[in-house]
Coordinates of all heavy atoms in Angstrom, one line a residue:
E781 N -12.4 -126.4 -18.5 CA -11.6 -125.1 -18.4 C -11.7 -124.6 -17.0 O -12.7 -124.5 -16.4 CB -12.1 -124.1 -19.4 CG -11.3 -122.9 -19.6 CD -11.7 -122.0 -20.8 OE1 -12.9 -122.1 -21.2 OE2 -10.8 -121.4 -21.3
T782 N -10.6 -124.2 -16.4 CA -10.6 -123.7 -15.0 C -11.1 -122.3 -15.0 O -11.0 -121.5 -16.0 CB -9.1 -123.8 -14.4 OG1 -8.3 -122.8 -15.1 CG2 -8.6 -125.1 -14.5
L783 N -11.6 -121.9 -13.8 CA -12.0 -120.5 -13.5 C -10.9 -119.5 -13.8 O -11.2 -118.5 -14.4 CB -12.6 -120.4 -12.2 CG -13.1 -119.0 -11.8 CD1 -14.3 -118.6 -12.7 CD2 -13.6 -118.9 -10.4
A784 N -9.7 -119.8 -13.4 CA -8.6 -118.9 -13.6 C -8.4 -118.6 -15.1 O -8.2 -117.4 -15.5 CB -7.4 -119.4 -13.0
R785 N -8.5 -119.6 -15.9 CA -8.4 -119.4 -17.4 C -9.6 -118.6 -17.9 O -9.4 -117.8 -18.8 CB -8.2 -120.7 -18.1 CG -6.9 -121.4 -17.7 CD -6.7 -122.7 -18.4 NE -6.2 -122.4 -19.7 CZ -6.1 -123.3 -20.7 NH1 -6.5 -124.6 -20.5 NH2 -5.7 -122.9 -21.8
I786 N -10.7 -118.9 -17.4 CA -11.9 -118.2 -17.9 C -11.8 -116.7 -17.5 O -12.1 -115.8 -18.3 CB -13.2 -118.8 -17.3 CG1 -13.5 -120.1 -17.9 CG2 -14.5 -117.9 -17.6 CD1 -14.5 -120.9 -17.2
A787 N -11.4 -116.5 -16.2 CA -11.3 -115.1 -15.7 C -10.3 -114.2 -16.5 O -10.4 -113.1 -16.5 CB -11.0 -115.1 -14.3
T788 N -9.2 -114.9 -17.0 CA -8.2 -114.1 -17.7 C -8.7 -113.7 -19.1 O -8.2 -112.7 -19.7 CB -6.9 -114.9 -17.9 OG1 -7.2 -116.1 -18.6 CG2 -6.3 -115.2 -16.5
R789 N -9.7 -114.4 -19.6 CA -10.2 -114.0 -21.0 C -11.5 -113.2 -21.0 O -11.9 -112.7 -22.0 CB -10.3 -115.2 -21.8 CG -11.3 -116.2 -21.5 CD -11.4 -117.3 -22.6 NE -12.2 -118.4 -22.1 CZ -13.5 -118.4 -22.1 NH1 -14.2 -117.4 -22.6 NH2 -14.2 -119.5 -21.7
A790 N -12.2 -113.1 -19.9 CA -13.4 -112.4 -19.8 C -13.7 -111.8 -18.4 O -13.4 -112.5 -17.4 CB -14.6 -113.3 -20.2
P791 N -14.2 -110.6 -18.3 CA -14.6 -110.1 -17.0 C -15.6 -111.0 -16.4 O -16.4 -111.6 -17.1 CB -15.1 -108.7 -17.3 CG -14.5 -108.3 -18.6 CD -14.4 -109.6 -19.3
F792 N -15.7 -111.0 -15.0 CA -16.6 -111.8 -14.3 C -18.0 -111.6 -14.7 O -18.8 -112.5 -14.8 CB -16.4 -111.5 -12.8 CG -17.3 -112.4 -11.9 CD1 -17.1 -113.7 -11.8 CD2 -18.3 -111.8 -11.2 CE1 -17.9 -114.5 -11.0 CE2 -19.1 -112.6 -10.4 CZ -18.9 -114.0 -10.3
E793 N -18.4 -110.4 -15.0 CA -19.8 -110.1 -15.3 C -20.2 -110.7 -16.7 O -21.3 -111.0 -16.9 CB -20.0 -108.6 -15.5 CG -19.8 -107.8 -14.3 CD -18.4 -107.4 -14.1 OE1 -17.6 -107.2 -15.0 OE2 -17.9 -107.4 -12.9
R794 N -19.2 -111.0 -17.5 CA -19.5 -111.6 -18.8 C -19.4 -113.2 -18.9 O -19.6 -113.7 -19.9 CB -18.6 -111.0 -19.9 CG -18.8 -109.5 -20.1 CD -18.0 -109.0 -21.2 NE -18.0 -107.6 -21.1 CZ -17.1 -106.8 -21.7 NH1 -16.0 -107.4 -22.4 NH2 -17.1 -105.6 -21.7
L795 N -19.2 -113.8 -17.7 CA -19.1 -115.2 -17.7 C -20.5 -115.8 -18.1 O -21.5 -115.2 -17.7 CB -18.7 -115.7 -16.3 CG -17.2 -115.5 -15.9 CD1 -17.0 -116.0 -14.5 CD2 -16.2 -116.1 -16.8
E796 N -20.4 -116.9 -18.8 CA -21.7 -117.6 -19.1 C -22.3 -118.1 -17.8 O -21.6 -118.3 -16.8 CB -21.4 -118.8 -20.0 CG -20.8 -118.3 -21.4 CD -20.4 -119.5 -22.2 OE1 -20.6 -120.6 -21.8 OE2 -19.7 -119.2 -23.2
L797 N -23.6 -118.2 -17.8 CA -24.4 -118.5 -16.7 C -23.8 -119.7 -15.8 O -23.6 -119.6 -14.6 CB -25.9 -118.7 -17.0 CG -26.8 -118.8 -15.8 CD1 -26.7 -117.6 -14.9 CD2 -28.2 -119.0 -16.3
P798 N -23.6 -120.9 -16.4 CA -23.0 -122.0 -15.6 C -21.6 -121.6 -15.0 O -21.4 -122.0 -13.9 CB -22.9 -123.1 -16.6 CG -23.8 -122.8 -17.8 CD -23.8 -121.3 -17.8
S799 N -20.8 -120.9 -15.7 CA -19.5 -120.6 -15.2 C -19.6 -119.5 -14.1 O -19.0 -119.6 -13.0 CB -18.6 -120.0 -16.3 OG -18.3 -121.0 -17.3
R800 N -20.5 -118.6 -14.3 CA -20.8 -117.6 -13.2 C -21.4 -118.2 -12.0 O -20.9 -117.9 -10.9 CB -21.7 -116.5 -13.7 CG -21.8 -115.4 -12.7 CD -22.8 -114.3 -13.2 NE -22.9 -113.3 -12.2 CZ -22.6 -112.0 -12.3 NH1 -22.0 -111.6 -13.4 NH2 -22.8 -111.2 -11.3
A801 N -22.3 -119.1 -12.2 CA -22.9 -119.8 -11.0 C -21.8 -120.6 -10.2 O -21.8 -120.6 -9.0 CB -24.1 -120.7 -11.5
A802 N -21.0 -121.3 -11.0 CA -19.9 -122.0 -10.4 C -18.9 -121.1 -9.6 O -18.5 -121.4 -8.5 CB -19.1 -122.8 -11.4
A803 N -18.6 -120.0 -10.2 CA -17.7 -119.0 -9.5 C -18.4 -118.5 -8.2 O -17.7 -118.4 -7.2 CB -17.4 -117.8 -10.5
E804 N -19.7 -118.1 -8.3 CA -20.4 -117.5 -7.1 C -20.4 -118.6 -6.0 O -20.3 -118.3 -4.9 CB -21.7 -117.1 -7.5 CG -21.7 -115.8 -8.4 CD -23.0 -115.3 -8.8 OE1 -24.1 -116.1 -8.6 OE2 -23.1 -114.2 -9.4
D805 N -20.7 -119.9 -6.4 CA -20.7 -121.0 -5.5 C -19.3 -121.2 -4.8 O -19.2 -121.3 -3.6 CB -21.1 -122.3 -6.2 CG -21.3 -123.4 -5.2 OD1 -22.0 -123.3 -4.2 OD2 -20.7 -124.5 -5.5
M806 N -18.3 -121.1 -5.6 CA -16.9 -121.2 -5.1 C -16.6 -120.0 -4.1 O -16.1 -120.2 -3.0 CB -15.9 -121.1 -6.2 CG -14.4 -121.1 -5.7 SD -13.2 -120.9 -7.0 CE -13.5 -119.2 -7.4
F807 N -17.0 -118.8 -4.5 CA -16.8 -117.7 -3.6 C -17.5 -117.8 -2.3 O -17.0 -117.6 -1.1 CB -17.2 -116.3 -4.2 CG -16.4 -116.0 -5.4 CD1 -17.0 -115.3 -6.5 CD2 -15.1 -116.3 -5.5 CE1 -16.3 -115.0 -7.6 CE2 -14.4 -116.0 -6.7 CZ -15.0 -115.3 -7.8
A808 N -18.8 -118.3 -2.3 CA -19.6 -118.4 -1.1 C -19.0 -119.5 -0.2 O -19.1 -119.4 1.0 CB -21.0 -118.8 -1.5
K809 N -18.5 -120.6 -0.8 CA -18.0 -121.7 0.0 C -16.6 -121.5 0.6 O -16.2 -122.2 1.5 CB -18.0 -123.0 -0.8 CG -19.5 -123.5 -1.0 CD -19.4 -124.8 -1.8 CE -20.9 -125.3 -2.0 NZ -20.9 -126.5 -2.7
T810 N -15.8 -120.6 -0.1 CA -14.4 -120.5 0.4 C -14.1 -119.2 1.0 O -12.9 -119.0 1.4 CB -13.5 -120.8 -0.8 OG1 -13.7 -119.8 -1.8 CG2 -13.7 -122.2 -1.4
S811 N -15.0 -118.2 1.0 CA -14.7 -116.9 1.5 C -15.1 -116.9 3.0 O -16.1 -117.4 3.4 CB -15.5 -115.8 0.8 OG -15.1 -114.6 1.2
H812 N -14.3 -116.2 3.9 CA -14.7 -116.0 5.2 C -14.1 -114.7 5.8 O -13.4 -114.1 5.0 CB -14.3 -117.2 6.1 CG -12.9 -117.6 6.2 ND1 -12.0 -117.0 6.9 CD2 -12.2 -118.5 5.4 CE1 -10.7 -117.5 6.7 NE2 -10.8 -118.4 5.8
K813 N -14.4 -114.4 7.0 CA -14.1 -113.1 7.5 C -12.6 -112.7 7.4 O -12.3 -111.6 7.0 CB -14.5 -113.0 9.0 CG -14.4 -111.7 9.6 CD -14.8 -111.7 11.1 CE -14.5 -110.4 11.7 NZ -14.9 -110.4 13.1
L814 N -11.7 -113.6 7.7 CA -10.3 -113.3 7.7 C -9.6 -113.5 6.3 O -8.5 -113.2 6.1 CB -9.5 -114.1 8.8 CG -9.9 -113.7 10.2 CD1 -9.1 -114.6 11.2 CD2 -9.6 -112.2 10.5
S815 N -10.4 -114.2 5.4 CA -9.8 -114.4 4.1 C -10.9 -114.3 3.1 O -11.3 -115.3 2.4 CB -9.2 -115.8 4.1 OG -8.6 -116.1 2.9
P816 N -11.4 -113.1 2.8 CA -12.5 -113.0 1.8 C -11.9 -112.9 0.4 O -10.7 -112.6 0.2 CB -13.1 -111.6 2.2 CG -11.9 -110.9 2.7 CD -11.1 -111.9 3.5
W817 N -12.7 -113.2 -0.5 CA -12.3 -113.1 -2.0 C -12.4 -111.6 -2.3 O -13.3 -110.9 -1.9 CB -13.3 -113.9 -2.8 CG -13.0 -115.3 -2.9 CD1 -13.4 -116.3 -2.2 CD2 -12.1 -115.9 -3.9 NE1 -12.9 -117.5 -2.6 CE2 -12.1 -117.2 -3.7 CE3 -11.3 -115.4 -4.9 CZ2 -11.4 -118.1 -4.4 CZ3 -10.6 -116.3 -5.7 CH2 -10.6 -117.6 -5.4
D818 N -11.5 -111.2 -3.2 CA -11.6 -109.8 -3.8 C -11.6 -110.1 -5.3 O -10.6 -110.5 -5.9 CB -10.4 -109.0 -3.4 CG -10.5 -108.5 -2.0 OD1 -11.5 -107.8 -1.6 OD2 -9.5 -108.8 -1.3
V819 N -12.7 -109.8 -6.0 CA -12.8 -109.9 -7.4 C -12.4 -108.6 -8.0 O -12.9 -107.6 -7.7 CB -14.3 -110.3 -7.9 CG1 -14.3 -110.4 -9.4 CG2 -14.7 -111.6 -7.3
I820 N -11.3 -108.6 -8.8 CA -10.8 -107.4 -9.4 C -11.4 -107.2 -10.8 O -11.1 -108.0 -11.7 CB -9.2 -107.5 -9.5 CG1 -8.6 -107.8 -8.2 CG2 -8.6 -106.2 -10.2 CD1 -8.8 -106.8 -7.1
P821 N -12.2 -106.2 -11.0 CA -12.9 -106.0 -12.2 C -11.9 -105.2 -13.2 O -11.7 -104.0 -12.9 CB -14.0 -105.2 -11.9 CG -13.7 -104.4 -10.7 CD -12.7 -105.3 -10.0
A822 N -11.3 -105.8 -14.1 CA -10.3 -105.1 -15.0 C -10.3 -105.8 -16.4 O -10.1 -107.0 -16.5 CB -9.0 -105.1 -14.3
E823 N -10.4 -104.9 -17.3 CA -10.2 -105.4 -18.7 C -8.8 -105.0 -19.2 O -8.4 -105.5 -20.3 CB -11.3 -104.8 -19.6 CG -12.6 -105.4 -19.3 CD -13.7 -104.9 -20.3 OE1 -13.4 -104.5 -21.4 OE2 -14.9 -105.0 -19.9
Q824 N -8.2 -104.1 -18.5 CA -6.9 -103.6 -18.9 C -5.9 -104.2 -17.9 O -6.0 -104.0 -16.7 CB -6.8 -102.1 -19.0 CG -7.7 -101.5 -20.0 CD -7.6 -100.0 -19.9 OE1 -7.0 -99.4 -19.0 NE2 -8.3 -99.4 -20.9
K825 N -4.8 -104.8 -18.4 CA -3.8 -105.5 -17.5 C -3.2 -104.4 -16.6 O -3.1 -104.8 -15.4 CB -2.7 -106.0 -18.4 CG -1.8 -107.0 -17.7 CD -0.8 -107.6 -18.6 CE -1.4 -108.6 -19.6 NZ -0.4 -109.3 -20.3
R826 N -2.8 -103.2 -17.0 CA -2.2 -102.3 -16.1 C -3.2 -101.9 -14.9 O -2.8 -101.8 -13.8 CB -1.8 -101.0 -16.9 CG -1.1 -100.0 -16.0 CD -0.6 -98.9 -16.9 NE 0.1 -97.9 -16.0 CZ 1.0 -97.0 -16.5 NH1 1.3 -97.0 -17.7 NH2 1.6 -96.2 -15.7
Y827 N -4.4 -101.6 -15.3 CA -5.4 -101.3 -14.2 C -5.6 -102.4 -13.3 O -5.7 -102.2 -12.1 CB -6.8 -100.9 -14.9 CG -7.8 -100.7 -13.9 CD1 -8.0 -99.5 -13.1 CD2 -8.7 -101.8 -13.5 CE1 -8.9 -99.4 -12.2 CE2 -9.7 -101.7 -12.6 CZ -9.8 -100.5 -11.9 OH -10.7 -100.3 -11.0
G828 N -5.7 -103.6 -13.8 CA -5.9 -104.8 -13.0 C -4.7 -105.0 -12.0 O -4.9 -105.3 -10.8
R829 N -3.5 -104.8 -12.5 CA -2.3 -104.9 -11.6 C -2.3 -103.9 -10.5 O -2.0 -104.2 -9.3 CB -1.0 -104.8 -12.4 CG -0.8 -106.1 -13.3 CD 0.4 -106.0 -14.1 NE 0.6 -107.2 -14.9 CZ 1.3 -107.3 -15.9 NH1 2.1 -106.3 -16.3 NH2 1.4 -108.5 -16.6
I830 N -2.7 -102.6 -10.8 CA -2.7 -101.6 -9.8 C -3.8 -101.9 -8.8 O -3.6 -101.7 -7.6 CB -2.9 -100.2 -10.5 CG1 -1.7 -99.8 -11.3 CG2 -3.3 -99.1 -9.5 CD1 -1.9 -98.6 -12.1
A831 N -5.0 -102.3 -9.3 CA -6.1 -102.7 -8.4 C -5.7 -103.8 -7.5 O -6.0 -103.8 -6.3 CB -7.3 -103.1 -9.2
V832 N -5.0 -104.8 -8.0 CA -4.5 -105.9 -7.1 C -3.5 -105.4 -6.0 O -3.7 -105.8 -4.8 CB -3.8 -107.0 -7.9 CG1 -3.0 -108.0 -7.0 CG2 -4.8 -107.8 -8.8
L833 N -2.6 -104.6 -6.4 CA -1.7 -104.0 -5.4 C -2.4 -103.1 -4.4 O -2.0 -103.2 -3.2 CB -0.6 -103.2 -6.1 CG 0.4 -104.0 -6.9 CD1 1.3 -103.1 -7.8 CD2 1.2 -104.9 -6.1
E834 N -3.3 -102.3 -4.8 CA -4.1 -101.5 -3.8 C -4.9 -102.4 -2.9 O -4.9 -102.1 -1.7 CB -5.0 -100.5 -4.6 CG -4.2 -99.4 -5.2 CD -5.1 -98.5 -6.1 OE1 -6.2 -98.9 -6.4 OE2 -4.6 -97.4 -6.4
T835 N -5.5 -103.4 -3.4 CA -6.3 -104.3 -2.6 C -5.4 -105.0 -1.6 O -5.7 -105.2 -0.4 CB -7.1 -105.3 -3.5 OG1 -7.9 -104.6 -4.3 CG2 -7.9 -106.3 -2.6
L836 N -4.3 -105.6 -2.0 CA -3.3 -106.3 -1.2 C -2.8 -105.3 -0.1 O -2.8 -105.7 1.1 CB -2.1 -106.8 -2.0 CG -1.1 -107.6 -1.2 CD1 -1.6 -108.8 -0.5 CD2 0.0 -108.0 -2.2
N837 N -2.4 -104.1 -0.4 CA -2.0 -103.2 0.6 C -3.1 -102.9 1.6 O -2.8 -102.9 2.8 CB -1.6 -101.9 -0.1 CG -0.8 -100.9 0.8 OD1 0.1 -101.3 1.5 ND2 -1.2 -99.7 0.8
R838 N -4.3 -102.7 1.2 CA -5.4 -102.5 2.1 C -5.6 -103.7 3.1 O -5.8 -103.5 4.3 CB -6.7 -102.2 1.3 CG -7.9 -101.9 2.2 CD -9.1 -101.4 1.4 NE -9.3 -102.1 0.2 CZ -10.0 -103.3 0.0 NH1 -10.4 -103.9 1.1 NH2 -10.1 -103.9 -1.2
R839 N -5.5 -104.9 2.5 CA -5.7 -106.1 3.3 C -4.6 -106.2 4.4 O -4.8 -106.6 5.5 CB -5.8 -107.4 2.5 CG -7.0 -107.4 1.6 CD -8.1 -107.9 2.4 NE -9.3 -108.0 1.5 CZ -10.5 -107.9 1.9 NH1 -10.8 -107.8 3.3 NH2 -11.5 -108.0 1.1
I840 N -3.3 -105.9 4.0 CA -2.2 -105.9 4.9 C -2.4 -104.9 6.0 O -2.2 -105.2 7.2 CB -0.9 -105.8 4.1 CG1 -0.6 -107.0 3.3 CG2 0.3 -105.5 5.2 CD1 0.6 -106.7 2.3
E841 N -2.8 -103.7 5.7 CA -3.0 -102.7 6.7 C -4.1 -103.1 7.6 O -4.0 -102.9 8.8 CB -3.3 -101.4 6.0 CG -2.1 -100.8 5.3 CD -2.4 -99.5 4.6 OE1 -3.6 -99.1 4.5 OE2 -1.4 -98.8 4.1
D842 N -5.2 -103.6 7.1 CA -6.3 -104.1 7.9 C -5.9 -105.2 8.9 O -6.2 -105.1 10.1 CB -7.5 -104.7 7.1 CG -8.2 -103.6 6.2 OD1 -8.0 -102.4 6.5 OD2 -9.0 -104.0 5.4
G843 N -5.0 -106.1 8.4 CA -4.5 -107.1 9.3 C -3.6 -106.6 10.4 O -3.6 -107.0 11.5
M844 N -2.8 -105.6 10.0 CA -1.9 -105.0 11.0 C -2.7 -104.3 12.1 O -2.5 -104.4 13.3 CB -1.0 -103.9 10.3 CG 0.1 -104.5 9.4 SD 1.0 -103.3 8.5 CE 2.0 -102.5 9.8
R845 N -3.8 -103.6 11.7 CA -4.7 -102.9 12.7 C -5.4 -104.0 13.6 O -5.5 -103.8 14.8 CB -5.7 -102.1 12.0 CG -5.2 -100.8 11.4 CD -6.2 -99.9 10.8 NE -5.7 -98.9 10.0 CZ -5.5 -99.0 8.6 NH1 -6.0 -100.0 8.0 NH2 -5.0 -97.9 8.0
R846 N -5.8 -105.1 13.0 CA -6.5 -106.1 13.7 C -5.6 -106.7 14.8 O -6.1 -107.1 15.9 CB -6.9 -107.2 12.7 CG -7.8 -108.3 13.3 CD -8.5 -109.3 12.4 NE -7.6 -109.7 11.2 CZ -7.8 -109.2 10.0 NH1 -8.7 -108.4 9.7 NH2 -7.0 -109.6 9.0
F847 N -4.3 -106.8 14.6 CA -3.4 -107.3 15.6 C -2.7 -106.3 16.4 O -1.6 -106.5 17.0 CB -2.4 -108.2 14.8 CG -3.0 -109.5 14.4 CD1 -3.3 -109.7 13.0 CD2 -3.3 -110.5 15.2 CE1 -3.9 -110.9 12.6 CE2 -3.9 -111.7 14.8 CZ -4.1 -111.9 13.5
G848 N -3.2 -105.0 16.3 CA -2.7 -104.0 17.2 C -1.4 -103.3 16.7 O -0.7 -102.7 17.5
M849 N -1.1 -103.5 15.5 CA 0.2 -102.9 14.9 C -0.1 -101.6 14.3 O -1.2 -101.4 13.7 CB 0.8 -103.9 13.9 CG 1.2 -105.2 14.4 SD 1.8 -106.3 13.1 CE 3.3 -105.5 12.6
G850 N 0.8 -100.7 14.4 CA 0.6 -99.3 13.8 C 0.9 -99.4 12.4 O 1.8 -100.1 11.9
V851 N 0.1 -98.7 11.6 CA 0.3 -98.6 10.1 C 0.9 -97.3 9.9 O 0.3 -96.2 10.1 CB -1.0 -98.8 9.3 CG1 -0.8 -98.6 7.9 CG2 -1.7 -100.1 9.7
P852 N 2.1 -97.2 9.4 CA 2.8 -95.9 9.2 C 2.1 -95.2 8.0 O 1.7 -95.7 7.0 CB 4.2 -96.3 8.7 CG 4.2 -97.7 8.3 CD 3.0 -98.3 9.0
A853 N 2.0 -93.9 8.2 CA 1.5 -93.0 7.1 C 2.7 -92.8 6.1 O 3.8 -92.8 6.4 CB 1.1 -91.6 7.7
I854 N 2.3 -92.6 4.9 CA 3.3 -92.3 3.8 C 4.2 -91.2 4.2 O 5.4 -91.3 4.0 CB 2.6 -92.0 2.5 CG1 1.8 -93.3 2.0 CG2 3.6 -91.6 1.4 CD1 2.7 -94.5 1.6
R855 N 3.7 -90.2 4.8 CA 4.4 -89.0 5.1 C 5.5 -89.2 6.2 O 6.4 -88.5 6.3 CB 3.6 -87.8 5.5 CG 2.8 -88.0 6.7 CD 1.9 -86.8 7.1 NE 1.2 -87.1 8.3 CZ 0.1 -87.8 8.4 NH1 -0.4 -88.4 7.3 NH2 -0.5 -88.1 9.6
D856 N 5.3 -90.3 7.0 CA 6.1 -90.6 8.0 C 7.4 -91.5 7.6 O 8.3 -91.7 8.3 CB 5.4 -91.3 9.2 CG 4.4 -90.4 9.8 OD1 4.5 -89.2 9.7 OD2 3.4 -91.0 10.4
L857 N 7.3 -92.0 6.4 CA 8.3 -92.9 5.9 C 9.5 -92.0 5.4 O 9.3 -91.0 4.8 CB 7.8 -93.8 4.8 CG 6.7 -94.7 5.1 CD1 6.2 -95.5 3.9 CD2 7.1 -95.7 6.2
D858 N 10.7 -92.5 5.7 CA 11.9 -91.8 5.3 C 12.4 -92.4 4.0 O 12.8 -93.6 4.0 CB 13.0 -91.9 6.4 CG 14.2 -91.2 6.1 OD1 14.2 -90.4 5.0 OD2 15.2 -91.3 6.8
D859 N 12.3 -91.6 2.9 CA 12.7 -92.2 1.6 C 14.2 -92.1 1.4 O 14.6 -92.5 0.3 CB 11.9 -91.4 0.5 CG 12.2 -90.0 0.4 OD1 12.8 -89.4 1.4 OD2 11.9 -89.3 -0.6
T860 N 14.9 -91.7 2.3 CA 16.4 -91.6 2.2 C 17.0 -93.0 2.6 O 18.2 -93.2 2.3 CB 17.0 -90.5 3.0 OG1 16.8 -90.6 4.3 CG2 16.6 -89.2 2.5
D861 N 16.3 -93.8 3.3 CA 16.9 -95.1 3.8 C 16.9 -96.0 2.5 O 16.0 -96.1 1.7 CB 16.0 -95.8 4.8 CG 16.1 -95.0 6.2 OD1 17.1 -94.2 6.3 OD2 15.2 -95.2 7.0
D862 N 18.0 -96.8 2.5 CA 18.1 -97.7 1.4 C 18.2 -99.1 2.0 O 18.7 -99.5 2.9 CB 19.4 -97.5 0.5 CG 19.2 -96.3 -0.3 OD1 18.1 -95.7 -0.3 OD2 20.1 -95.9 -1.1

């Protein structure tokens, strides 16, 4: 059974010891400064989706700052443009 399938049916904290050890090993071997893992703790689908969007938005903004790009504030965006 793949980690993705396990993760969809149980939160990371509840994974059985061999599965959790395998997941932690995978995170340690594949995560690095510019591409870290973000484990989203969510038992509710709606909360999980919002947490993913917030995390993605934060990562994009961090990348923009890292490359010297300005990150617009919400108040500066014109909501009349289509």
Side-chain angles (χ1 to χ4, degrees):
E781 188 170 28
T782 66
L783 180 61
R785 294 180 80 188
I786 293 169
T788 59
R789 67 176 169 79
F792 182 68
E793 299 84 33
R794 295 186 193 160
L795 290 178
E796 296 173 10
L797 189 57
S799 297
R800 184 181 177 116
E804 289 175 354
D805 186 48
M806 177 188 67
F807 297 148
K809 289 181 178 179
T810 61
S811 183
H812 58 84
K813 184 179 176 181
L814 292 178
S815 183
W817 277 92
D818 289 303
V819 177
I820 306 296
E823 292 185 23
Q824 297 176 352
K825 196 179 286 189
R826 184 176 181 160
Y827 172 83
R829 289 177 176 166
I830 291 169
V832 166
L833 291 172
E834 289 174 343
T835 301
L836 180 61
N837 191 48
R838 182 173 39 84
R839 293 280 181 203
I840 290 170
E841 289 177 352
D842 291 348
M844 291 174 71
R845 287 184 193 98
R846 187 171 37 255
F847 290 102
M849 298 174 66
V851 177
I854 295 290
R855 67 180 178 279
D856 296 337
L857 298 176
D858 183 6
D859 62 347
T860 60
D861 289 342
D862 288 356

